mmCIF file of all heavy atoms in Angstrom:
data_model
loop_
_atom_site.group_PDB
_atom_site.id
_atom_site.type_symbol
_atom_site.label_atom_id
_atom_site.label_comp_id
_atom_site.label_asym_id
_atom_site.label_seq_id
_atom_site.Cartn_x
_atom_site.Cartn_y
_atom_site.Cartn_z
ATOM 1 N N GLY A 5 131.586 272.660 60.703
ATOM 2 C CA GLY A 5 130.414 273.483 60.423
ATOM 3 C C GLY A 5 130.293 274.652 61.372
ATOM 4 O O GLY A 5 131.243 275.064 62.023
ATOM 5 N N ARG A 6 129.088 275.196 61.443
ATOM 6 C CA ARG A 6 128.819 276.331 62.318
ATOM 7 C C ARG A 6 128.587 275.846 63.748
ATOM 8 O O ARG A 6 128.161 274.738 63.969
ATOM 9 C CB ARG A 6 127.592 277.092 61.834
ATOM 10 C CG ARG A 6 127.805 277.784 60.524
ATOM 11 C CD ARG A 6 126.518 278.490 60.120
ATOM 12 N NE ARG A 6 126.690 279.181 58.866
ATOM 13 C CZ ARG A 6 127.039 280.453 58.761
ATOM 14 N NH1 ARG A 6 127.258 281.168 59.836
ATOM 15 N NH2 ARG A 6 127.171 281.017 57.587
ATOM 16 N N PRO A 7 128.824 276.731 64.735
ATOM 17 C CA PRO A 7 128.685 276.299 66.119
ATOM 18 C C PRO A 7 127.245 276.133 66.581
ATOM 19 O O PRO A 7 126.981 275.369 67.491
ATOM 20 C CB PRO A 7 129.376 277.414 66.908
ATOM 21 C CG PRO A 7 129.249 278.611 66.051
ATOM 22 C CD PRO A 7 129.335 278.095 64.640
ATOM 23 N N PHE A 8 126.294 276.826 65.987
ATOM 24 C CA PHE A 8 124.923 276.793 66.496
ATOM 25 C C PHE A 8 124.296 275.418 66.267
ATOM 26 O O PHE A 8 124.192 274.950 65.150
ATOM 27 C CB PHE A 8 124.067 277.863 65.824
ATOM 28 C CG PHE A 8 122.721 278.000 66.457
ATOM 29 C CD1 PHE A 8 122.579 278.718 67.628
ATOM 30 C CD2 PHE A 8 121.621 277.391 65.909
ATOM 31 C CE1 PHE A 8 121.353 278.842 68.221
ATOM 32 C CE2 PHE A 8 120.380 277.499 66.503
ATOM 33 C CZ PHE A 8 120.251 278.234 67.669
ATOM 34 N N GLY A 9 123.911 274.768 67.324
ATOM 35 C CA GLY A 9 123.274 273.467 67.237
ATOM 36 C C GLY A 9 124.235 272.305 67.104
ATOM 37 O O GLY A 9 123.809 271.162 67.022
ATOM 38 N N ALA A 10 125.531 272.556 67.091
ATOM 39 C CA ALA A 10 126.514 271.469 66.992
ATOM 40 C C ALA A 10 126.729 270.856 68.373
ATOM 41 O O ALA A 10 126.445 271.472 69.396
ATOM 42 C CB ALA A 10 127.839 272.009 66.450
ATOM 43 N N LEU A 11 127.225 269.651 68.394
ATOM 44 C CA LEU A 11 127.520 269.002 69.667
ATOM 45 C C LEU A 11 128.602 269.758 70.412
ATOM 46 O O LEU A 11 129.519 270.322 69.806
ATOM 47 C CB LEU A 11 127.974 267.566 69.431
ATOM 48 C CG LEU A 11 126.937 266.628 68.838
ATOM 49 C CD1 LEU A 11 127.568 265.290 68.530
ATOM 50 C CD2 LEU A 11 125.758 266.472 69.773
ATOM 51 N N ARG A 12 128.526 269.735 71.703
ATOM 52 C CA ARG A 12 129.539 270.389 72.527
ATOM 53 C C ARG A 12 130.832 269.582 72.460
ATOM 54 O O ARG A 12 130.825 268.362 72.603
ATOM 55 C CB ARG A 12 129.033 270.464 73.961
ATOM 56 C CG ARG A 12 130.042 271.091 74.899
ATOM 57 C CD ARG A 12 129.387 271.525 76.157
ATOM 58 N NE ARG A 12 129.262 272.964 76.036
ATOM 59 C CZ ARG A 12 128.743 273.739 76.949
ATOM 60 N NH1 ARG A 12 128.235 273.236 78.018
ATOM 61 N NH2 ARG A 12 128.704 275.038 76.764
ATOM 62 N N GLU A 13 131.929 270.250 72.216
ATOM 63 C CA GLU A 13 133.229 269.602 72.093
ATOM 64 C C GLU A 13 133.840 269.373 73.477
ATOM 65 O O GLU A 13 133.682 270.195 74.375
ATOM 66 C CB GLU A 13 134.174 270.458 71.252
ATOM 67 C CG GLU A 13 133.720 270.644 69.817
ATOM 68 C CD GLU A 13 133.762 269.369 69.011
ATOM 69 O OE1 GLU A 13 134.640 268.530 69.254
ATOM 70 O OE2 GLU A 13 132.908 269.211 68.147
ATOM 71 N N GLU A 14 134.537 268.266 73.634
ATOM 72 C CA GLU A 14 135.198 267.934 74.892
ATOM 73 C C GLU A 14 136.590 268.548 74.898
ATOM 74 O O GLU A 14 137.466 268.133 74.121
ATOM 75 C CB GLU A 14 135.284 266.417 75.048
ATOM 76 C CG GLU A 14 136.036 265.956 76.278
ATOM 77 C CD GLU A 14 135.463 266.515 77.560
ATOM 78 O OE1 GLU A 14 134.245 266.388 77.777
ATOM 79 O OE2 GLU A 14 136.246 267.080 78.342
ATOM 80 N N THR A 15 136.832 269.527 75.755
ATOM 81 C CA THR A 15 138.093 270.265 75.740
ATOM 82 C C THR A 15 139.288 269.406 76.126
ATOM 83 O O THR A 15 140.411 269.698 75.715
ATOM 84 C CB THR A 15 138.019 271.481 76.690
ATOM 85 O OG1 THR A 15 137.653 271.036 78.003
ATOM 86 C CG2 THR A 15 137.012 272.483 76.190
ATOM 87 N N TYR A 16 139.080 268.345 76.881
ATOM 88 C CA TYR A 16 140.200 267.495 77.293
ATOM 89 C C TYR A 16 140.818 266.753 76.106
ATOM 90 O O TYR A 16 141.960 266.314 76.167
ATOM 91 C CB TYR A 16 139.726 266.500 78.357
ATOM 92 C CG TYR A 16 140.850 265.802 79.079
ATOM 93 C CD1 TYR A 16 141.715 266.505 79.902
ATOM 94 C CD2 TYR A 16 141.037 264.447 78.938
ATOM 95 C CE1 TYR A 16 142.746 265.873 80.561
ATOM 96 C CE2 TYR A 16 142.062 263.793 79.604
ATOM 97 C CZ TYR A 16 142.914 264.513 80.416
ATOM 98 O OH TYR A 16 143.935 263.882 81.057
ATOM 99 N N ALA A 17 140.092 266.632 75.009
ATOM 100 C CA ALA A 17 140.587 265.920 73.831
ATOM 101 C C ALA A 17 141.514 266.778 72.975
ATOM 102 O O ALA A 17 142.125 266.273 72.040
ATOM 103 C CB ALA A 17 139.419 265.441 72.972
ATOM 104 N N TYR A 18 141.625 268.051 73.291
ATOM 105 C CA TYR A 18 142.389 268.966 72.441
ATOM 106 C C TYR A 18 143.650 269.457 73.106
ATOM 107 O O TYR A 18 143.688 269.703 74.307
ATOM 108 C CB TYR A 18 141.524 270.164 72.045
ATOM 109 C CG TYR A 18 140.299 269.741 71.280
ATOM 110 C CD1 TYR A 18 139.038 269.956 71.793
ATOM 111 C CD2 TYR A 18 140.419 269.083 70.075
ATOM 112 C CE1 TYR A 18 137.915 269.546 71.100
ATOM 113 C CE2 TYR A 18 139.305 268.667 69.384
ATOM 114 C CZ TYR A 18 138.062 268.903 69.901
ATOM 115 O OH TYR A 18 136.959 268.482 69.222
ATOM 116 N N GLU A 19 144.678 269.627 72.282
ATOM 117 C CA GLU A 19 145.930 270.204 72.748
ATOM 118 C C GLU A 19 145.807 271.718 72.835
ATOM 119 O O GLU A 19 146.344 272.346 73.730
ATOM 120 C CB GLU A 19 147.041 269.812 71.772
ATOM 121 C CG GLU A 19 148.419 270.015 72.305
ATOM 122 C CD GLU A 19 149.443 269.342 71.405
ATOM 123 O OE1 GLU A 19 149.473 268.107 71.364
ATOM 124 O OE2 GLU A 19 150.192 270.076 70.742
ATOM 125 N N ARG A 20 145.078 272.299 71.877
ATOM 126 C CA ARG A 20 144.867 273.747 71.859
ATOM 127 C C ARG A 20 143.653 274.083 71.007
ATOM 128 O O ARG A 20 143.207 273.274 70.199
ATOM 129 C CB ARG A 20 146.102 274.480 71.346
ATOM 130 C CG ARG A 20 146.441 274.177 69.923
ATOM 131 C CD ARG A 20 147.754 274.846 69.489
ATOM 132 N NE ARG A 20 148.050 274.503 68.121
ATOM 133 C CZ ARG A 20 148.600 273.371 67.717
ATOM 134 N NH1 ARG A 20 148.932 272.461 68.606
ATOM 135 N NH2 ARG A 20 148.821 273.131 66.451
ATOM 136 N N VAL A 21 143.123 275.276 71.210
ATOM 137 C CA VAL A 21 142.027 275.807 70.414
ATOM 138 C C VAL A 21 142.544 277.075 69.758
ATOM 139 O O VAL A 21 142.966 278.007 70.441
ATOM 140 C CB VAL A 21 140.788 276.126 71.287
ATOM 141 C CG1 VAL A 21 139.680 276.713 70.446
ATOM 142 C CG2 VAL A 21 140.304 274.881 72.002
ATOM 143 N N GLU A 22 142.552 277.100 68.423
ATOM 144 C CA GLU A 22 143.115 278.220 67.669
ATOM 145 C C GLU A 22 141.991 279.097 67.126
ATOM 146 O O GLU A 22 141.030 278.592 66.556
ATOM 147 C CB GLU A 22 143.944 277.705 66.493
ATOM 148 C CG GLU A 22 145.035 276.755 66.911
ATOM 149 C CD GLU A 22 145.644 275.995 65.746
ATOM 150 O OE1 GLU A 22 144.990 275.850 64.698
ATOM 151 O OE2 GLU A 22 146.791 275.552 65.899
ATOM 152 N N VAL A 23 142.118 280.402 67.296
ATOM 153 C CA VAL A 23 141.175 281.354 66.733
ATOM 154 C C VAL A 23 141.892 282.074 65.599
ATOM 155 O O VAL A 23 142.951 282.669 65.795
ATOM 156 C CB VAL A 23 140.702 282.372 67.792
ATOM 157 C CG1 VAL A 23 139.806 283.425 67.157
ATOM 158 C CG2 VAL A 23 139.983 281.664 68.912
ATOM 159 N N ILE A 24 141.324 281.980 64.404
ATOM 160 C CA ILE A 24 141.909 282.620 63.223
ATOM 161 C C ILE A 24 140.935 283.700 62.794
ATOM 162 O O ILE A 24 139.775 283.418 62.491
ATOM 163 C CB ILE A 24 142.128 281.593 62.101
ATOM 164 C CG1 ILE A 24 142.962 280.436 62.644
ATOM 165 C CG2 ILE A 24 142.804 282.244 60.903
ATOM 166 C CD1 ILE A 24 142.925 279.202 61.805
ATOM 167 N N LYS A 25 141.381 284.961 62.803
ATOM 168 C CA LYS A 25 140.484 286.085 62.552
ATOM 169 C C LYS A 25 140.684 286.649 61.150
ATOM 170 O O LYS A 25 141.764 286.551 60.568
ATOM 171 C CB LYS A 25 140.735 287.196 63.573
ATOM 172 C CG LYS A 25 140.502 286.765 64.991
ATOM 173 C CD LYS A 25 140.819 287.903 65.924
ATOM 174 C CE LYS A 25 140.895 287.413 67.349
ATOM 175 N NZ LYS A 25 141.411 288.439 68.236
ATOM 176 N N GLY A 26 139.622 287.259 60.640
ATOM 177 C CA GLY A 26 139.679 287.975 59.371
ATOM 178 C C GLY A 26 139.838 287.070 58.167
ATOM 179 O O GLY A 26 139.419 285.915 58.165
ATOM 180 N N GLY A 27 140.443 287.624 57.105
ATOM 181 C CA GLY A 27 140.618 286.906 55.841
ATOM 182 C C GLY A 27 141.437 285.638 55.962
ATOM 183 O O GLY A 27 141.272 284.701 55.180
ATOM 184 N N ASN A 28 142.331 285.575 56.930
ATOM 185 C CA ASN A 28 143.141 284.365 57.127
ATOM 186 C C ASN A 28 142.303 283.160 57.512
ATOM 187 O O ASN A 28 142.739 282.024 57.379
ATOM 188 C CB ASN A 28 144.198 284.588 58.211
ATOM 189 C CG ASN A 28 145.276 285.532 57.756
ATOM 190 O OD1 ASN A 28 145.521 285.674 56.564
ATOM 191 N ND2 ASN A 28 145.910 286.192 58.706
ATOM 192 N N SER A 29 141.086 283.393 57.972
ATOM 193 C CA SER A 29 140.241 282.286 58.418
ATOM 194 C C SER A 29 139.769 281.415 57.253
ATOM 195 O O SER A 29 139.277 280.321 57.459
ATOM 196 C CB SER A 29 139.038 282.812 59.188
ATOM 197 O OG SER A 29 138.202 283.567 58.345
ATOM 198 N N THR A 30 139.936 281.875 56.027
ATOM 199 C CA THR A 30 139.538 281.083 54.860
ATOM 200 C C THR A 30 140.615 280.073 54.468
ATOM 201 O O THR A 30 140.473 279.396 53.465
ATOM 202 C CB THR A 30 139.226 281.991 53.658
ATOM 203 O OG1 THR A 30 140.397 282.741 53.320
ATOM 204 C CG2 THR A 30 138.076 282.922 53.963
ATOM 205 N N THR A 31 141.665 279.968 55.253
ATOM 206 C CA THR A 31 142.747 279.018 54.980
ATOM 207 C C THR A 31 142.221 277.594 54.846
ATOM 208 O O THR A 31 142.647 276.832 53.987
ATOM 209 C CB THR A 31 143.792 279.058 56.109
ATOM 210 O OG1 THR A 31 144.290 280.381 56.213
ATOM 211 C CG2 THR A 31 144.927 278.108 55.836
ATOM 212 N N PHE A 32 141.274 277.218 55.701
ATOM 213 C CA PHE A 32 140.736 275.864 55.697
ATOM 214 C C PHE A 32 139.579 275.695 54.720
ATOM 215 O O PHE A 32 139.143 274.596 54.478
ATOM 216 C CB PHE A 32 140.257 275.474 57.094
ATOM 217 C CG PHE A 32 141.354 275.482 58.119
ATOM 218 C CD1 PHE A 32 141.225 276.227 59.271
ATOM 219 C CD2 PHE A 32 142.508 274.744 57.943
ATOM 220 C CE1 PHE A 32 142.224 276.225 60.222
ATOM 221 C CE2 PHE A 32 143.511 274.740 58.893
ATOM 222 C CZ PHE A 32 143.370 275.483 60.037
ATOM 223 N N GLY A 33 139.028 276.776 54.212
ATOM 224 C CA GLY A 33 137.889 276.682 53.299
ATOM 225 C C GLY A 33 136.865 277.754 53.587
ATOM 226 O O GLY A 33 137.202 278.870 53.937
ATOM 227 N N VAL A 34 135.592 277.397 53.479
ATOM 228 C CA VAL A 34 134.500 278.340 53.663
ATOM 229 C C VAL A 34 134.524 278.902 55.078
ATOM 230 O O VAL A 34 134.676 278.175 56.043
ATOM 231 C CB VAL A 34 133.141 277.644 53.410
ATOM 232 C CG1 VAL A 34 131.994 278.582 53.678
ATOM 233 C CG2 VAL A 34 133.090 277.114 51.997
ATOM 234 N N SER A 35 134.374 280.225 55.182
ATOM 235 C CA SER A 35 134.349 280.865 56.485
ATOM 236 C C SER A 35 133.753 282.250 56.341
ATOM 237 O O SER A 35 133.780 282.836 55.265
ATOM 238 C CB SER A 35 135.760 280.955 57.054
ATOM 239 O OG SER A 35 135.735 281.519 58.341
ATOM 240 N N ASP A 36 133.184 282.746 57.423
ATOM 241 C CA ASP A 36 132.712 284.122 57.436
ATOM 242 C C ASP A 36 133.900 285.050 57.622
ATOM 243 O O ASP A 36 134.952 284.634 58.111
ATOM 244 C CB ASP A 36 131.711 284.319 58.579
ATOM 245 C CG ASP A 36 130.341 283.735 58.249
ATOM 246 O OD1 ASP A 36 129.963 283.781 57.067
ATOM 247 O OD2 ASP A 36 129.670 283.237 59.165
ATOM 248 N N PRO A 37 133.740 286.337 57.282
ATOM 249 C CA PRO A 37 134.877 287.260 57.409
ATOM 250 C C PRO A 37 135.337 287.501 58.842
ATOM 251 O O PRO A 37 136.429 287.989 59.061
ATOM 252 C CB PRO A 37 134.360 288.555 56.787
ATOM 253 C CG PRO A 37 132.918 288.391 56.572
ATOM 254 C CD PRO A 37 132.577 286.956 56.677
ATOM 255 N N GLY A 38 134.502 287.166 59.809
ATOM 256 C CA GLY A 38 134.890 287.369 61.205
ATOM 257 C C GLY A 38 136.037 286.471 61.627
ATOM 258 O O GLY A 38 136.958 286.891 62.296
ATOM 259 N N GLY A 39 135.973 285.205 61.245
ATOM 260 C CA GLY A 39 137.027 284.280 61.606
ATOM 261 C C GLY A 39 136.509 282.869 61.771
ATOM 262 O O GLY A 39 135.342 282.577 61.524
ATOM 263 N N SER A 40 137.399 281.991 62.201
ATOM 264 C CA SER A 40 137.042 280.590 62.418
ATOM 265 C C SER A 40 137.828 280.054 63.610
ATOM 266 O O SER A 40 138.774 280.669 64.078
ATOM 267 C CB SER A 40 137.313 279.761 61.167
ATOM 268 O OG SER A 40 138.680 279.812 60.830
ATOM 269 N N VAL A 41 137.419 278.886 64.079
ATOM 270 C CA VAL A 41 138.059 278.246 65.221
ATOM 271 C C VAL A 41 138.514 276.860 64.793
ATOM 272 O O VAL A 41 137.755 276.109 64.188
ATOM 273 C CB VAL A 41 137.073 278.139 66.411
ATOM 274 C CG1 VAL A 41 137.689 277.368 67.559
ATOM 275 C CG2 VAL A 41 136.649 279.518 66.868
ATOM 276 N N ASN A 42 139.762 276.536 65.090
ATOM 277 C CA ASN A 42 140.315 275.220 64.770
ATOM 278 C C ASN A 42 140.691 274.518 66.067
ATOM 279 O O ASN A 42 141.427 275.054 66.888
ATOM 280 C CB ASN A 42 141.552 275.353 63.874
ATOM 281 C CG ASN A 42 142.098 274.019 63.464
ATOM 282 O OD1 ASN A 42 141.370 273.123 63.059
ATOM 283 N ND2 ASN A 42 143.411 273.862 63.581
ATOM 284 N N TYR A 43 140.159 273.302 66.253
ATOM 285 C CA TYR A 43 140.504 272.487 67.410
ATOM 286 C C TYR A 43 141.659 271.580 67.012
ATOM 287 O O TYR A 43 141.536 270.782 66.092
ATOM 288 C CB TYR A 43 139.326 271.619 67.847
ATOM 289 C CG TYR A 43 138.074 272.386 68.164
ATOM 290 C CD1 TYR A 43 136.936 272.231 67.393
ATOM 291 C CD2 TYR A 43 138.022 273.255 69.237
ATOM 292 C CE1 TYR A 43 135.773 272.927 67.684
ATOM 293 C CE2 TYR A 43 136.861 273.957 69.532
ATOM 294 C CZ TYR A 43 135.747 273.782 68.760
ATOM 295 O OH TYR A 43 134.606 274.465 69.055
ATOM 296 N N ALA A 44 142.785 271.708 67.692
ATOM 297 C CA ALA A 44 143.945 270.866 67.412
ATOM 298 C C ALA A 44 143.955 269.710 68.414
ATOM 299 O O ALA A 44 144.130 269.917 69.616
ATOM 300 C CB ALA A 44 145.227 271.668 67.515
ATOM 301 N N THR A 45 143.742 268.483 67.912
ATOM 302 C CA THR A 45 143.691 267.324 68.802
ATOM 303 C C THR A 45 145.069 267.003 69.348
ATOM 304 O O THR A 45 146.091 267.400 68.787
ATOM 305 C CB THR A 45 143.131 266.086 68.067
ATOM 306 O OG1 THR A 45 143.925 265.836 66.922
ATOM 307 C CG2 THR A 45 141.698 266.291 67.661
ATOM 308 N N LYS A 46 145.087 266.267 70.438
ATOM 309 C CA LYS A 46 146.355 265.874 71.050
ATOM 310 C C LYS A 46 147.113 264.956 70.097
ATOM 311 O O LYS A 46 146.516 264.146 69.404
ATOM 312 C CB LYS A 46 146.106 265.144 72.364
ATOM 313 C CG LYS A 46 145.561 266.036 73.453
ATOM 314 C CD LYS A 46 145.349 265.260 74.739
ATOM 315 C CE LYS A 46 144.839 266.165 75.822
ATOM 316 N NZ LYS A 46 144.587 265.439 77.070
ATOM 317 N N VAL A 47 148.414 265.112 70.072
ATOM 318 C CA VAL A 47 149.252 264.269 69.223
ATOM 319 C C VAL A 47 150.125 263.387 70.119
ATOM 320 O O VAL A 47 150.422 263.746 71.264
ATOM 321 C CB VAL A 47 150.146 265.114 68.284
ATOM 322 C CG1 VAL A 47 149.294 265.895 67.309
ATOM 323 C CG2 VAL A 47 151.024 266.058 69.063
#
C-alpha cells in the first residue's frame, strides 16, 4: 500500500530496497506515475 500511516519496515530484514520510477513502476500493479518502492527480502 501507500507509505503514509503504514508500519515502519525493519531494514535488517531486507537484502535491498528497489526504487522503480515512472511508468515502469506499474510492473507490480497499481502505482502513481512518480514510482514505487519494492523491498526485496533476504533469500
Side-chain angles (χ1 to χ4, degrees):
R6 292 179 179 267
F8 189 80
L11 295 174
R12 178 163 256 181
E13 297 292 327
E14 176 57 52
T15 55
Y16 194 66
Y18 300 116
E19 196 168 291
R20 64 185 179 280
V21 178
E22 304 167 337
V23 175
I24 306 163
K25 299 178 193 171
N28 290 335
S29 65
T30 60
T31 302
F32 299 125
V34 177
S35 183
D36 283 326
S40 60
V41 175
N42 183 46
Y43 303 115
T45 57
K46 291 181 179 178
V47 295

